Amino acid sequence: MCVAIPSLVVELGDSTATVERFEERIVVSLLMLDEPVELGDYLIIQAGAYAVEKLEPEEAELSLALFREWLRMAGEDVRETELPGAAAELRGETRGR
Amino acid sequence: MAGEESRAVLATLEASLALRVRVEGGRIVGLEIEGKRPLQAARVLEGRSVEAALAALPVMFRLCGTAQSVAGLQAVEAALECGPGPVGRAARSMLVTVEALEQSLWRILLDWPRCADGQPDAASLDHFRRKLRALQRGVFTDRRWNRLGGARVKADDGALRATIEGVDADIDEILFGGVRGAEVLASRPAFEAWIGDTRTATASALEWVYSNGLADFGGADVRLAGDFDTDYVSDRLAGDDNWAYCERPEHHGEVHQTGALARWSDAPLVRALHGEHGYGLVEALREHMLTLAPEEPNGATAITTGRGLGSVETARGRLFHWVEVREGTVARYRTLAPTEWNFHPDGPLAAGLVGAPAGDADTTRRAVDLLVTAIDPCVGVELELAEA
């Protein structure tokens, strides 16, 4: 099944972004996105190379919570990540708001 | 989390297929398919209210979120004996079609040229994606269309039809080089003449297949799934406590191929090409072009009160969701994706590749890659070619 993990934008290039999910970083093309991208946004990546959608922060956080829950069911030792807080910080918002 | 641990977590979540192809004496003599897919991800839906579970579906399965949402809605509505009327069902079906169209365009514009030594056309894909977004926004009155029982459909003011006609015209222009696609795909002479005369990325990919003698590469004699016996599938999913059926499905004891080829197997041109090439590479690719307009059946099946099956035809084939609801809560949830049929160890890829001729390593790798793309898994593929 084609699950899609929200990826956090941590660096921006001309038409690329460096994104992070579960501490792995990859560079993706922004060519397929028809809206502006900023640091701290969450993106959905297709084929490991193209950002295809920008998520609302609440959607991304719900998605990450569901995946963490499933990973625990699958027996993975998953810590609560700082991603939601980190995303707010990257967006220039006050942490914990 | 340490780097190694995070990679392990990602490996659990990220789906992929590892294909190991063994070549000996100019032939493919073996294929191992190792799937790494979070088949049981739907377990997180169990114990949630049906509303929360339905809200979670498009969030988790974002890349084909519409098909997953509709399959989930159908399953739950069948279990609860509710659901939208014909207009609401048609509107959902249209969203599924738009999503399938985008997935097919992705394959045709980016992956076919990449496999066939050509130039991917990302700009055209971007152009289509923007138009398809407009189409999606024109169906329902608000973006929360995935409501249990149905959502409000926009009144037909002609704008939707105009957008559809615009997409059709662009397909003819960009994929078919300015001729009508329906005419190109209507007969074998027209199709082959078009390949010879046209220089679009799509035609060039098909020309590469013919010029390398690969038109019948990977032909398989696996039964094409026509109408599934939904009672049979429901029973198997209901009894699938260890998810074994979801991983290796069968239909009345046989492995089936689902997807574009199965949908179009009765078309006259398909029969003509099948007579010449079997269900080989050129046929599988051409079917993908026909699937630019996937059709019904999409439908819900009520099983017994409290249980339901959703069945949606996606770009890649049939997607099933099965649910058992108790007092408004999801008690059990199963999903069965088309990839599990098509990349089954006895499915069309394995049957088509083992025994196929193998030329030089680069061409063989490209041909296998193209066949995989044509059968179309919903996940990334790692391909390893080993000469004995």
Side-chain angles (χ1 to χ4, degrees):
Chain A
M1 296 290 280
C2 41
V3 298
I5 305 162
S7 299
L8 178 67
V9 177
V10 293
E11 275 178 45
L12 279 171
D14 277 347
S15 57
T16 62
T18 302
V19 297
E20 182 176 301
R21 62 259 175 93
F22 293 102
E23 295 189 11
E24 186 196 64
R25 288 188 174 202
I26 55 170
V27 177
V28 298
S29 166
L30 300 177
L31 192 66
M32 299 290 168
L33 274 182
D34 53 6
E35 54 189 325
V37 173
E38 294 176 6
L39 291 177
D41 283 342
Y42 282 105
L43 305 177
I44 292 296
I45 312 301
Q46 185 156 356
Y50 292 95
V52 291
E53 192 178 358
K54 187 164 91 173
L55 296 182
E56 295 296 326
E58 299 75 27
E59 280 183 308
E61 285 153 22
L62 169 62
S63 175
L64 288 166
L66 288 165
F67 286 128
R68 279 197 290 269
E69 188 178 330
W70 183 73
L71 285 166
R72 284 196 196 93
M73 285 180 170
E76 294 285 341
D77 180 19
V78 187
R79 291 202 313 238
E80 287 296 326
T81 68
E82 291 293 318
L83 282 175
E89 194 170 49
L90 281 162
R91 287 195 298 270
E93 298 168 8
T94 307
R95 288 195 76 164
R97 199 173 72 174
Chain B
M1 201 184 305
E4 209 162 289
E5 282 173 284
S6 71
R7 274 193 294 279
V9 169
L10 268 180
T12 307
L13 279 176
E14 295 263 53
S16 68
L17 281 174
L19 305 178
R20 282 181 286 278
V21 178
R22 213 150 37 83
V23 177
E24 194 175 322
R27 293 218 162 260
I28 292 173
V29 295
L31 171 70
E32 284 173 50
I33 303 175
E34 187 191 343
K36 290 183 286 182
R37 306 189 288 291
L39 291 173
Q40 300 182 25
R43 281 172 61 196
V44 299
L45 306 178
E46 296 175 353
R48 294 179 192 274
S49 70
V50 290
E51 291 83 3
L54 290 170
L57 278 173
V59 173
M60 291 177 70
F61 303 109
R62 196 85 194 180
L63 295 175
C64 50
T66 302
Q68 303 279 356
S69 278
V70 172
L73 281 163
Q74 286 178 0
V76 170
E77 287 166 354
L80 300 180
E81 298 181 75
C82 65
V87 172
R89 288 200 302 274
R92 285 180 184 172
S93 193
M94 180 155 184
L95 288 189
V96 171
T97 300
V98 169
E99 183 178 74
L101 178 58
E102 181 185 335
Q103 296 290 316
S104 285
L105 285 166
W106 188 290
R107 289 303 197 199
I108 291 170
L109 290 167
L110 293 194
D111 294 329
W112 291 14
R114 174 182 57 75
C115 296
D117 209 10
Q119 198 60 40
D121 187 359
S124 291
L125 179 61
D126 181 46
H127 167 83
F128 279 116
R129 289 184 79 244
R130 287 168 196 264
K131 287 210 164 181
L132 295 176
R133 291 281 173 276
L135 206 48
Q136 285 170 327
R137 287 193 295 269
V139 177
F140 286 97
T141 54
D142 73 79
R143 65 191 290 262
R144 285 203 57 230
W145 59 268
N146 57 335
R147 294 171 197 273
L148 197 56
R152 204 159 174 203
V153 177
K154 272 188 184 171
D156 179 15
D157 60 359
L160 204 56
R161 177 164 295 280
T163 311
I164 292 169
E165 286 171 359
V167 171
D168 274 347
D170 287 351
I171 287 173
D172 287 346
E173 185 61 38
I174 294 170
L175 268 67
F176 291 96
V179 293
R180 286 199 59 228
E183 289 170 13
V184 169
L185 298 171
S187 74
R188 185 179 155 193
F191 179 61
E192 293 181 348
W194 170 77
I195 292 171
D197 294 343
T198 314
R199 291 280 64 87
T200 64
T202 316
S204 297
L206 288 158
E207 170 66 24
W208 181 88
V209 171
Y210 272 99
S211 64
N212 281 281
L214 294 167
D216 55 358
F217 178 84
D221 197 20
V222 171
R223 183 183 285 272
L224 300 174
D227 290 332
F228 278 97
D229 176 352
T230 49
D231 288 340
Y232 181 83
V233 176
S234 292
D235 285 347
R236 296 305 314 268
L237 289 171
D240 195 25
D241 291 335
N242 62 358
W243 295 74
Y245 182 74
C246 291
E247 186 174 3
R248 292 193 180 182
E250 43 73 28
H251 189 236
H252 291 294
E254 275 190 281
V255 178
H256 280 46
Q257 177 167 4
T258 179
L261 199 56
R263 274 197 296 278
W264 293 96
S265 58
D266 286 335
L269 176 56
V270 178
R271 290 183 177 177
L273 282 167
H274 181 219
E276 179 76 10
H277 299 300
Y279 286 128
L281 191 46
V282 75
E283 190 50 13
L285 294 173
R286 203 198 59 85
E287 293 323 298
H288 232 296
M289 296 168 76
L290 276 169
T291 202
L292 297 178
E295 294 179 336
E296 295 277 15
N298 293 324
T301 305
I303 304 155
T304 55
T305 303
R307 291 180 174 185
L309 180 80
S311 168
V312 171
E313 190 66 19
T314 72
R316 299 176 172 90
R318 193 66 61 87
L319 169 70
F320 292 104
H321 280 214
W322 179 92
V323 69
E324 182 175 347
V325 179
R326 286 187 212 139
E327 295 175 355
T329 300
V330 173
R332 287 201 299 155
Y333 206 105
R334 294 290 181 275
T335 55
L336 175 52
T339 299
E340 317 317 333
W341 298 95
N342 293 335
F343 291 81
H344 189 287
D346 300 320
L349 184 75
L353 278 185
V354 177
D360 66 87
D362 181 60
T363 306
T364 304
R365 173 178 289 277
R366 288 180 183 280
V368 173
D369 208 358
L370 202 47
L371 186 66
V372 168
T373 299
I375 298 176
D376 201 2
C378 59
V379 300
V381 172
E382 298 157 19
L383 177 61
E384 183 185 317
L385 210 64
E387 184 96 35

